[in-house]
Amino acid sequence: MHRAPSLLTDSFATSQRSPRYEGVDALRGLAMVWMTVFHFCFDLSHLGFWPQNFRADPFWTSQRTVIVSLFLFCAGLGQAIALHQGQGWLRFGRRWLQIAGCALLVSAGSFVMFPQSFIHFGVLHGMAVMLLVARCTAGWGRWLWLAGLVALALPSVAHLLLSGPWVEAAPWFNGRAFNWLGLVSRKPFTEDYVPVFPWLGVLWWGLASGQWAMARGRQHWLPWKLPGGLRPLATLGQWSLSYYMLHQPVMIGVLMVVAWMSRGVQG
């Protein structure tokens, strides 16, 4: 399965004493809702209620791409806001440790359920690495737009080279030691795969967009107050890491009980 990330970008976005940006939180919340529907459909397929091909069907793979992109773009926006509000490395480090710790939990949990295809570099792993890179490159300014474009293009270039003139190097880049970079000739068999490239490009563009919006005279849309009907999305977006870690165990647990009860009735 390709799981949409979760994500946790709210933990990095602002300090508790800084104002929230409801529009950014709501956009993240929208991604959370979409991710939940996506995962619910995957769980139905996994348990045999509604078989679908989540690895190859464009209907599902395209949705996964959009969901991950929304999360990473919001992560970039969050970093721009955090830096504008003066977030220091100490607070960033505490939040980063939360992300890294949850990534390890995801790997452990997925190994129990999917030992042959457990998640060794999924969305939380990728987020942890990419947020560090974003923090260190935030000073690039307008060059972030070009860097993002290069990051998006690199996997296609690498695929051509590793399938052609550099084919002898393909086993190295395809192996687990380096496939987290995303410069591979074939994707690894895993339940979630969010490598640094091309996804760092999306986060860089979110960072660049946030820096542009926070510039003088251009940030008026970020503090925009949401209509009452959309505020639940903003609330969900503020708790994205906790929600991400809990929603799948809850849904899978409920569906497994339903599957067990339905087999008992049929039996």
Side-chain angles (χ1 to χ4, degrees):
M1 176 190 75
H2 293 296
R3 299 184 188 276
S6 80
L7 285 178
L8 41 145
T9 58
D10 56 292
S11 298
F12 286 85
T14 58
S15 71
Q16 292 177 351
R17 296 179 296 275
S18 301
R20 302 290 311 190
Y21 288 82
E22 289 186 339
V24 178
D25 287 334
L27 185 60
R28 190 183 300 112
L30 174 63
M32 300 298 294
V33 172
W34 196 346
M35 175 195 69
T36 302
V37 174
F38 183 93
H39 282 171
F40 182 72
C41 294
F42 173 86
D43 295 342
L44 289 176
S45 177
H46 177 68
L47 294 173
F49 289 108
W50 187 40
Q52 297 289 309
N53 188 347
F54 278 81
R55 294 185 182 275
D57 189 338
F59 177 78
W60 298 112
T61 58
S62 60
Q63 288 190 63
R64 190 255 183 185
T65 297
V66 175
I67 296 169
V68 175
S69 297
L70 276 176
F71 275 121
L72 294 178
F73 188 81
C74 287
L77 284 175
Q79 277 300 289
I81 294 170
L83 289 167
H84 181 79
Q85 294 176 336
Q87 183 196 68
W89 275 99
L90 181 60
R91 185 168 184 80
F92 174 90
R94 289 199 298 266
R95 302 309 186 195
W96 184 88
L97 286 174
Q98 293 179 5
I99 303 300
C102 287
L104 293 177
L105 288 176
V106 167
S107 290
S110 65
F111 183 79
V112 173
M113 290 196 66
F114 309 100
Q116 302 302 318
S117 58
F118 75 97
I119 301 171
H120 63 271
F121 203 83
V123 67
L124 296 183
H125 308 72
M127 181 72 71
V129 172
M130 287 182 268
L131 284 173
L132 281 174
V133 174
R135 184 81 180 192
C136 294
T137 58
W140 288 4
R142 295 179 179 177
W143 289 103
L144 289 169
W145 294 106
L146 178 60
L149 181 62
V150 172
L152 291 172
L154 271 179
S156 296
V157 175
H159 184 272
L160 289 174
L161 292 174
L162 294 174
S163 300
W166 294 1
V167 66
E168 293 183 357
W172 292 91
F173 284 92
N174 292 338
R176 191 169 295 170
F178 294 106
N179 65 19
W180 57 273
L181 291 171
L183 308 179
V184 298
S185 61
R186 57 173 175 79
K187 293 182 179 180
F189 182 66
T190 176
E191 297 302 315
D192 190 25
Y193 180 54
V194 183
V196 174
F197 301 107
W199 296 108
L200 179 58
V202 179
L203 192 144
W204 264 337
W205 280 357
L207 177 59
S209 298
Q211 289 180 340
W212 174 84
M214 299 303 292
R216 182 178 300 177
R218 296 173 179 170
Q219 64 177 28
H220 58 279
W221 60 274
L222 282 175
W224 177 61
K225 293 298 181 182
L226 293 173
L230 295 180
R231 285 181 181 169
L233 283 178
T235 301
L236 179 61
Q238 293 177 31
W239 294 93
S240 56
L241 178 56
S242 299
Y243 182 86
Y244 179 79
M245 294 300 294
L246 293 174
H247 81 286
Q248 268 290 61
V250 171
M251 287 196 301
I252 291 177
V254 170
L255 288 175
M256 288 181 69
V257 170
V258 172
W260 175 77
M261 293 179 64
S262 64
R263 286 195 296 267
V265 171
Q266 293 174 0

